Amino acid sequence: MTTTYVLRGVRPLGGEPADVVLDGGRITHLGAPGSATPSSDTDPGVVEIDGENRLILLPGLVDLHTHLREPGREDAETVCSGTRAAAAGGFTAVHAMANTTPTQDTAGVVEQVWRLGRDAGWVDVRPVGAVTVGLGGERLAELGAMADSAAGVRVFSDDGKCVHDPVLMRRALEYVKAFDGVVAQHAQEPRLTEGAQMNEGVVSSEVGLAGWPAVAEESIIARDVLLAEHVGSRLHVCHLSTARSVEIVRWAKSRGVEVTAEVTPHHLLLTDERARSYDARFKVNPPLRTEGDVEAVREGLADGTIDIVATDHAPHPVEDKDCEWAAAAFGMTGLETALSVVQATMVDTGRMSWADVARVLSQAPARIGRIDAGPAAQGRGVGVGEPANVTLVDPAASRTVRGAQQVTASANTPLEGMELPGVVVATFLRGRATVLGGVPVDAGGEDGSGLAGRVGETEAVAS
Amino acid sequence: MRHLLSTADLAKDDAVLLLDTAAQMAATQSREMKKLPTLRGRTVVNLFYEDSTRTRISFETAAKRLSADVINFSAKGSSVSKGESLKDTALTLHAMGADAVVVRHQASGAPHMLAHAGWLDAAVLNAGDGMHQHPTQALLDAFTIRRHLVGAGSDAGTEGTDLAGLRVAIVGDVLHSRVARSNVHLLHTLGAQVTLVAPPTLLPVGVETWPCEVSYNLDETIEQASPDAVMMLRVQRERMSGGAGGAFFPSAREYSRKFGLGSQRLSRLPGHAIVMHPGPMNRGLEISADAADHPRSVIVEQVANGIAVRMASLYLLLAGSDTADDERTSL
């Protein structure tokens, strides 16, 4: 028997307080405060949560860009630890990037990752397929086989590497049209970034770290939007980080090019000034940029040029960060802090509403990944009949970030010691609580079946 | 002063104190008995991850003349070649009781990490890190400039003086040069006017924010700025070939024609101007043999001054500021 959750006095998408009932994997009631009838006093199968007319109810967050590291780097993260961290951050679905070992470039490996996600039960894991074999940039991986596999891959990316060969990029863009796929490009011109360590600019010139010029990103994005227009394909731009990248995407959209773009929480918040500390927790690819770039990506996100926020959650073991900058790995964790950073940079500054947050962190990424329909639909609205994938946020609470206390298996957060607004109180995956009271509810602990939220196993979606 | 990591950290008073102390150290080096007892019982580790015989020997000589025990830890002959991390090496040096660590590393920021990561509590002297800083080189350059252009060839009367009003041209591969970065900050702090001269490919993006002028033309700089000192930077051979990022200039001959210092350009410098080079030189590329061996060349003297400056740096870091006055009067 599954639990019925009655959320009293919660604010769907930050609007007026309401009562919401989650039952049988669906949202079964949405009405004025006091309108929800199930009561924990009379029914032991009911759990009530009081939102105190303050807690905000969002659709479960969807990350289009997560590195779960399994298979291959289980010392940094596993599918289980990473998805548990995702749930703690308010997510109900993540797209697992392809740069695992072995690479997610065959139907076999993407199905393996998909199954690991299903078994863990924290969120829906949607594997991203590699564009090229072994991320080698030389020949197309079997994109069709991955699309047809149980994992149902729709997003393809060589993330970490750029598909820099223009012919190969063209072919990939064309080929995935057959199954409504999208190529998510890591835009980095490789010749312009050989040995690159950080943003090329004033700070790099002083601290003596090899520069990663903005133009290396912008030139690839410019080429790709033109290619996408030429062949009429969908293009997604990963972790866009510069002011001119925003301009190029804005221009492409004005021409009707089917391009979508993402920005990471860290590019919304931090600048390359952080590199002056030589603290490799600030080393990331693409690198932290300048104040002007941060302002431009915030503006681009607010005006819709940038469609989504994606974490680029990139866990690394301590030894890969506690060393010389040049020897350190690129990347930072982000699943548990993404929502707070968006609140701090976009909501609390008055640039976006909570409905906008739902759009950029749930609905739009689900739409880009084509997981917004079907039995495991994600990123839907908060309405009666929709899947009960929701997250409950306390926008008035705050916390101090401590890498060592995060749920992810790695501690490499660039926000160490920073106080951020917003705390995820509860997360529900198809009506099952994965997080309650701000703490992950260990799978299998609640009702003997941690997998109750699995697709096909709940009453609601079995039909 | 706890560490010496970057000349950008040095206030003018610190810099002048270092130069004054170096002058006192230099004076002791003309004695028959060059060794001072100042750092007896202290341990100085030379931790060199890059080959640099000259800098290592200079630091070793400086430490030994102050009676410190010196341990040379070279990456090639140590556990580093077996893949030991910087952190483990630092913890090891800490456990062995190093009082000062002189570090040369190919990674920019490695000395900063040694000083600030909490791995060891020794004083850290940056002996050159990546493309970042080489502060003792800049100090010895400033010391040499002060001696010649303020003190007319000796340190007499230079105590407490800076380099106000002097014009210095730094010519060559600024992009990859820690020597250039260190000198721009230090010379600026000391009041000198610096002009960087290089082809645009060998200047970093962001150089426009540095406290100096930038020129693409050595002849114009010689005519218009009339530099009192010209510092030629070494051009690495790999910058001329394809390499990682392709060649930075078309050919060695073109570089030499446009940015090399030969007797023609030398003759157009002011009569008192000095010629400097951090070494090792590529004779015939950035500097001709005529210029290198000219009476106005102070290149060999720079090497000697390096020892005095490094003695001063070790002394000020290790002997501590409270004892500095007493100790110095006894030099």
Side-chain angles (χ1 to χ4, degrees):
Chain A
M1 195 186 83
T2 56
T3 307
T4 298
Y5 289 95
V6 179
L7 316 178
R8 297 197 184 277
V10 298
R11 298 162 55 206
L13 308 186
E16 291 304 306
D19 284 2
V20 175
V21 178
L22 314 178
D23 188 25
R26 300 253 162 204
I27 297 172
T28 56
H29 175 86
L30 174 64
S35 65
T37 48
S39 165
S40 53
D41 295 342
T42 55
D43 186 343
V46 171
V47 171
E48 296 190 47
I49 296 174
D50 184 1
E52 299 174 357
N53 297 336
R54 185 180 77 248
L55 301 191
I56 289 170
L57 190 68
L58 297 174
L61 308 184
V62 175
D63 193 14
L64 201 63
H65 195 143
T66 310
H67 296 276
L68 293 177
R69 301 289 187 228
E70 187 179 5
R73 286 306 300 268
E74 292 81 354
D75 57 329
E77 193 85 281
T78 62
V79 170
C80 187
S81 68
T83 54
R84 194 164 176 262
F91 290 88
T92 52
V94 300
H95 288 76
M97 270 301 170
N99 62 339
T100 50
T101 311
T103 308
Q104 289 168 214
D105 59 2
T106 63
V109 180
V110 293
E111 284 196 1
Q112 176 190 358
V113 171
W114 176 73
R115 282 212 179 78
L116 287 166
R118 224 170 71 121
D119 292 348
W122 291 104
V123 301
D124 288 344
V125 172
R126 307 304 304 241
V128 173
V131 176
T132 66
V133 175
L135 309 182
E138 288 180 355
R139 54 200 174 90
L140 290 179
E142 290 196 347
L143 308 179
M146 290 188 275
D148 293 342
S149 74
V153 175
R154 289 296 177 271
V155 182
F156 297 88
S157 181
D158 276 0
D159 180 61
K161 301 261 183 72
C162 179
V163 183
H164 61 89
D165 180 329
V167 177
L168 199 58
M169 186 60 184
R170 176 203 170 136
R171 299 274 185 263
L173 285 167
E174 289 179 307
Y175 196 79
V176 301
K177 281 202 282 191
F179 32 85
D180 199 18
V182 64
V183 177
Q185 175 73 293
H186 171 114
Q188 177 180 4
E189 209 296 311
R191 285 281 286 158
L192 284 171
T193 51
E194 281 172 20
Q197 295 292 326
M198 66 171 293
N199 180 51
E200 181 170 79
V202 172
V203 180
S204 69
S205 79
E206 289 177 26
V207 302
L209 291 169
W212 197 129
V215 66
E217 172 177 312
E218 294 147 359
S219 58
I220 292 291
I221 296 175
R223 179 201 75 177
D224 285 353
V225 296
L226 294 170
L227 276 176
E229 180 175 36
H230 182 63
V231 300
S233 293
R234 280 209 292 150
L235 168 72
H236 178 71
V237 181
C238 294
H239 42 50
L240 170 160
S241 68
T242 81
R244 276 174 302 192
S245 294
V246 178
E247 276 184 54
I248 293 164
V249 171
R250 192 176 281 131
W251 171 82
K253 285 187 165 182
S254 75
R255 293 178 61 81
V257 179
E258 264 198 281
V259 58
T260 53
E262 79 191 25
V263 64
T264 68
H266 44 273
H267 288 113
L268 284 171
L269 184 66
L270 304 172
T271 70
D272 61 353
E273 289 290 331
R274 301 282 175 161
R276 291 188 190 279
S277 66
Y278 292 105
D279 183 337
R281 280 178 298 196
F282 298 107
K283 180 174 175 179
V284 66
N285 191 15
L288 300 176
R289 304 288 189 184
T290 67
E291 199 65 51
D293 295 306
V294 168
E295 174 52 31
V297 294
R298 288 183 186 187
E299 189 184 329
L301 183 63
D303 73 16
T305 301
I306 298 173
D307 302 83
I308 67 168
V309 174
T311 66
D312 198 4
H313 176 79
H316 289 290
V318 174
E319 60 270 26
D320 287 346
K321 285 292 189 180
D322 201 9
C323 59
E324 305 90 304
W325 181 285
F330 288 100
M332 37 186 67
T333 62
L335 285 168
E336 293 162 76
T337 46
L339 185 58
S340 289
V341 172
V342 171
Q343 182 184 338
T345 57
M346 304 302 294
V347 180
D348 291 354
T349 55
R351 303 181 91 140
M352 275 179 28
S353 67
W354 284 100
D356 293 326
V357 173
R359 172 171 54 78
V360 302
L361 270 167
S362 177
Q363 291 147 356
R367 180 67 195 139
I368 293 166
R370 295 295 191 256
I371 60 168
D372 57 337
Q378 291 274 355
R380 309 282 301 180
V382 177
V384 173
E386 296 291 359
N389 299 315
V390 290
T391 189
L392 204 50
V393 184
D394 185 349
S398 69
R399 42 65 189 262
T400 302
V401 179
R402 296 287 173 212
Q405 291 164 14
Q406 291 198 330
V407 176
T408 166
S410 290
N412 56 305
T413 173
L415 309 175
E416 183 72 31
M418 207 177 276
E419 188 173 324
L420 290 177
V423 168
V424 172
V425 175
T427 307
F428 300 89
L429 177 64
R430 282 181 286 282
R432 178 175 56 87
T434 54
V435 174
L436 277 180
V439 178
V441 180
D442 274 308
E446 187 198 356
D447 55 7
S449 165
L451 310 177
R454 258 191 202 180
V455 180
E457 293 192 5
T458 61
E459 206 185 320
V461 296
S463 58
Chain B
M1 207 168 66
R2 175 91 180 79
H3 307 286
L4 181 57
L5 302 176
S6 164
T7 54
D9 304 335
L10 290 177
K12 187 171 162 184
D13 288 351
D14 298 330
V16 171
L17 174 63
L18 273 159
L19 298 187
D20 289 348
T21 310
Q24 290 171 319
M25 294 294 175
T28 69
Q29 297 308 296
S30 54
R31 297 176 191 165
E32 196 174 335
M33 183 61 189
K34 295 184 170 62
K35 198 157 178 162
L36 305 171
T38 319
L39 297 183
R40 184 180 293 149
R42 303 297 194 95
T43 302
V44 175
V45 175
N46 286 326
L47 178 59
F48 274 58
Y49 286 82
E50 271 184 350
D51 285 333
S52 174
T53 308
R54 357 169 101 231
T55 305
R56 186 182 58 72
I57 288 175
S58 181
F59 267 106
E60 184 172 354
T61 307
K64 284 182 169 168
R65 295 217 175 135
L66 292 170
S67 303
D69 294 319
V70 179
I71 296 167
N72 287 312
F73 188 129
S74 131
K76 289 227 165 91
S78 75
S79 49
V80 169
S81 52
K82 298 171 200 156
E84 184 173 69
S85 71
L86 184 63
K87 178 179 180 173
D88 287 326
T89 301
L91 293 173
T92 301
L93 297 180
H94 177 68
M96 289 174 176
D99 295 297
V101 176
V102 175
V103 60
R104 161 68 64 99
H105 203 293
Q106 61 276 13
S108 298
H112 182 98
M113 294 210 72
L114 285 177
H116 297 298
W119 299 332
L120 79 174
D121 55 15
V124 177
L125 274 86
N126 183 358
D129 63 326
M131 302 186 293
H132 178 220
Q133 283 271 327
H134 190 0
T136 57
Q137 177 69 44
L139 284 162
L140 77 87
D141 291 335
F143 181 78
T144 306
I145 292 170
R146 190 173 81 162
R147 171 177 278 183
H148 281 273
L149 299 173
V150 179
S154 87
D155 298 322
T158 61
E159 187 171 342
T161 61
D162 58 20
L163 306 180
L166 292 176
R167 289 183 292 266
V168 181
I170 301 175
V171 187
D173 182 2
V174 175
L175 177 62
H176 301 94
S177 176
R178 52 197 175 209
V179 175
R181 281 172 179 78
S182 290
N183 264 301
V184 165
H185 282 293
L186 183 66
L187 296 176
H188 171 75
T189 299
L190 288 169
Q193 294 167 25
V194 179
T195 304
L196 297 174
V197 187
T201 48
L202 289 175
L203 289 163
V205 168
V207 73
E208 65 280 1
T209 62
W210 293 8
C212 61
E213 300 295 315
V214 173
S215 162
Y216 305 144
N217 189 314
L218 181 55
D219 288 321
E220 275 178 22
T221 300
I222 289 173
E223 275 158 38
Q224 292 163 16
S226 301
D228 303 297
V230 179
M231 190 183 299
M232 307 306 295
L233 299 173
R234 176 179 171 80
V235 175
Q236 305 279 347
R237 293 274 168 190
E238 63 260 30
R239 312 290 179 228
M240 290 175 245
S241 58
F248 286 85
F249 46 86
S251 70
R253 292 323 312 157
E254 175 153 322
Y255 181 87
S256 191
R257 278 196 301 274
K258 294 182 75 69
F259 297 97
L261 185 66
S263 46
Q264 287 294 318
R265 287 189 174 116
L266 192 61
S267 69
R268 296 205 299 276
L269 287 168
H272 64 273
I274 56 172
V275 174
M276 309 174 75
H277 193 297
M281 290 182 279
N282 292 304
R283 286 176 183 249
L285 179 52
E286 71 266 7
I287 190 165
S288 73
D290 290 346
D293 300 330
H294 195 273
R296 278 189 269 153
S297 162
V298 295
I299 294 166
V300 176
E301 194 194 318
Q302 284 174 271
V303 178
N305 292 344
I307 295 171
V309 158
R310 286 167 183 133
M311 287 173 75
S313 303
L314 285 166
Y315 168 77
L316 288 173
L317 288 177
L318 286 180
S321 51
D322 8 287
T323 56
D325 289 339
D326 307 338
E327 297 268 351
R328 264 163 59 211
T329 50
S330 71
L331 285 175

